Amino acid sequence: MTGADGAERLLLVYCGGTFGMRDSGRGLVAQRDLGGVLGELVRECSAQRSRDVDWELAQPPEIIDSAEAGHGTALSIADLIRERLGSADRAGSPFAGVLVVHGTDTLAHAAAQAAFALADLRTPVVYTGAMHPLGTPGGDAERNFARAFAAALAGGGPGVRLVFGSADLPAVRAVKRSSEADEAFAATRPLAEPTTSVPGLAAALAGAAGAIPPRVGMLTAVPGLPPALVEAALLAFPDGLVLECYGAGTAPLSGRDAREVLLGARDRGTPVLAITRCAHGAVELQRYAVGAALAEAGVIGGSDLTAEAAIAKLRALLRAGYTGERLALLLRLNLVGEQRPLGE
Ligand code: ASP
């Protein structure tokens, strides 16, 4: 989309992260005001293009180390984007693209959350960040910004992507793989092209903007995982729990105590979604008896969702008002490319 003078329009959302950090003397801290640096970067990137780029800056109220993100942080960034794009998005957004600069620790979480919360929008959204602050000799911040800037304006169609290093990944498949390398993000699972469109889902997602963020979290299976810890996790995350299982969806939770805890969650309406910690393959709860025990206790199979996409999907659907059987059904479907539909 172009402005009246033929310039392209970009919405730039700066959220914090190493990209804009400075040394505080006791570690790196995020800076709210980057001075004129963002404008300078936009000017440099625009100079590479044949047309001028008009840009608008949006910032969430808190500029943070993304490790401090809470239940609502990523959703509030998505809501900010929706608000700035306005209802014009469907007819033709006032912006050609959106570029979000975010910390890398929860970049995959934030981008996946936006992919679900903004699934009804038509404007391309690109998330990026950096492993080194702006101005670091040989650092990646300027480079990543330039690539993400170009990707946001490339007219690549709707959807949320994560552009980092040389990678350009679907947000719902991306994971942070390295705490050191410039190529910090990867997608080990293929994008599953959605084949179904769910009646009412777009309106429900749009209508949920601004609503209270559901308290959703994750617990990882380890040898000796006590049912009491599952119970505690369900108390801490009363709206929904992702259970990161072994292999095909197994966990040491087939005993009576665990079953009672899980059935209690089901009766309270707290969904428990099983995913696998393996980088390849999907959950298949019926393959082993210990997995079948989870299914019998109400646990829902999460196919081959990444942890980030699982948390984001559950949170977005809950915020959109889905519960019970309807929620379970949507969790089994591939909505935006996030998973192999169950049964495949
Ligand atoms: N702790 C930083 C953050 O996530 C890491 C980074 O941005 O690279 O905000």
Side-chain angles (χ1 to χ4, degrees), residues 17-18 21 64-67 103-106 130-131:
T18 297
M21 283 187 176
I64 58 169
D65 183 316
S66 80
T104 65
D105 286 340
T106 57
M131 300 302 280

Side-chain angles (χ1 to χ4, degrees), residues 15-21 28 30 64-68 102-107 128-133 140 164 176 178-179 184-185:
C15 308
T18 297
F19 180 94
M21 283 187 176
L28 294 170
I64 58 169
D65 183 316
S66 80
E68 296 198 292
H102 193 280
T104 65
D105 286 340
T106 57
L107 180 55
T128 195
M131 300 302 280
H132 308 278
D140 59 342
F164 203 98
K176 185 174 178 182
S178 174
S179 61
F185 288 84

Side-chain angles (χ1 to χ4, degrees), residues 31-267:
Q31 298 186 87
R32 178 156 194 91
D33 184 4
L34 297 189
V37 184
L38 289 173
E40 198 50 49
L41 285 171
V42 172
R43 264 189 298 285
E44 278 168 25
C45 295
S46 306
Q48 309 295 318
R49 303 180 69 79
S50 50
R51 264 188 285 161
D52 287 342
V53 178
D54 278 347
W55 64 295
E56 197 175 304
L57 180 64
Q59 298 194 178
E62 306 282 342
I63 298 298
I64 58 169
D65 183 316
S66 80
E68 296 198 292
H71 290 297
T73 307
L75 281 171
S76 66
I77 295 167
D79 290 349
L80 180 63
I81 294 170
R82 180 185 290 281
E83 187 190 304
R84 289 296 181 97
L85 295 188
S87 52
D89 179 85
R90 283 166 173 286
S93 165
F95 294 98
V98 181
L99 168 54
V100 184
V101 176
H102 193 280
T104 65
D105 286 340
T106 57
L107 180 55
H109 283 274
Q113 191 67 78
F116 290 105
L118 303 178
D120 57 309
L121 298 189
R122 313 298 310 156
T123 310
V125 180
V126 174
Y127 276 68
T128 195
M131 300 302 280
H132 308 278
L134 283 166
T136 306
D140 59 342
E142 291 83 355
R143 220 170 36 238
N144 285 354
F145 186 92
R147 277 203 71 230
F149 182 96
L153 294 175
V160 182
R161 307 193 64 79
L162 195 155
V163 170
F164 203 98
S166 64
D168 181 344
L169 311 166
V172 285
R173 290 310 221 176
V175 290
K176 185 174 178 182
R177 275 282 177 250
S178 174
S179 61
E180 294 171 352
D182 286 355
E183 297 294 336
F185 288 84
T188 58
R189 299 160 184 282
L191 179 70
E193 281 301 335
T195 50
T196 37
S197 87
V198 178
L201 180 62
L205 291 168
I212 293 171
R215 295 151 302 173
V216 172
M218 188 171 94
L219 183 67
T220 298
V222 291
L225 177 72
L229 193 52
V230 181
E231 195 166 24
L234 286 161
L235 275 178
F237 306 122
D239 298 319
L241 180 69
V242 173
L243 184 61
E244 192 183 49
C245 296
Y246 306 123
T250 54
L253 298 173
S254 59
R256 207 182 57 204
D257 290 353
R259 185 183 160 79
E260 265 169 33
V261 167
L262 291 170
L263 284 173
R266 190 197 60 184
D267 294 346

Side-chain angles (χ1 to χ4, degrees), residues 238-331:
D239 298 319
L241 180 69
V242 173
L243 184 61
E244 192 183 49
C245 296
Y246 306 123
T250 54
L253 298 173
S254 59
R256 207 182 57 204
D257 290 353
R259 185 183 160 79
E260 265 169 33
V261 167
L262 291 170
L263 284 173
R266 190 197 60 184
D267 294 346
R268 289 193 302 278
T270 305
V272 179
L273 179 64
I275 61 168
T276 174
R277 65 195 301 172
C278 294
H280 299 273
V283 165
E284 200 189 320
L285 290 175
Q286 303 301 337
R287 187 141 127 218
Y288 296 94
V290 290
L294 294 178
E296 283 155 19
V299 174
I300 303 159
S303 186
D304 65 345
L305 284 168
T306 64
E308 291 85 344
I311 295 167
K313 183 175 185 179
L314 194 48
R315 190 178 276 133
L317 291 176
L318 286 164
R319 191 173 76 143
Y322 292 100
T323 56
E325 279 308 308
R326 185 83 183 131
L327 173 69
L329 175 71
L330 293 183
L331 287 172

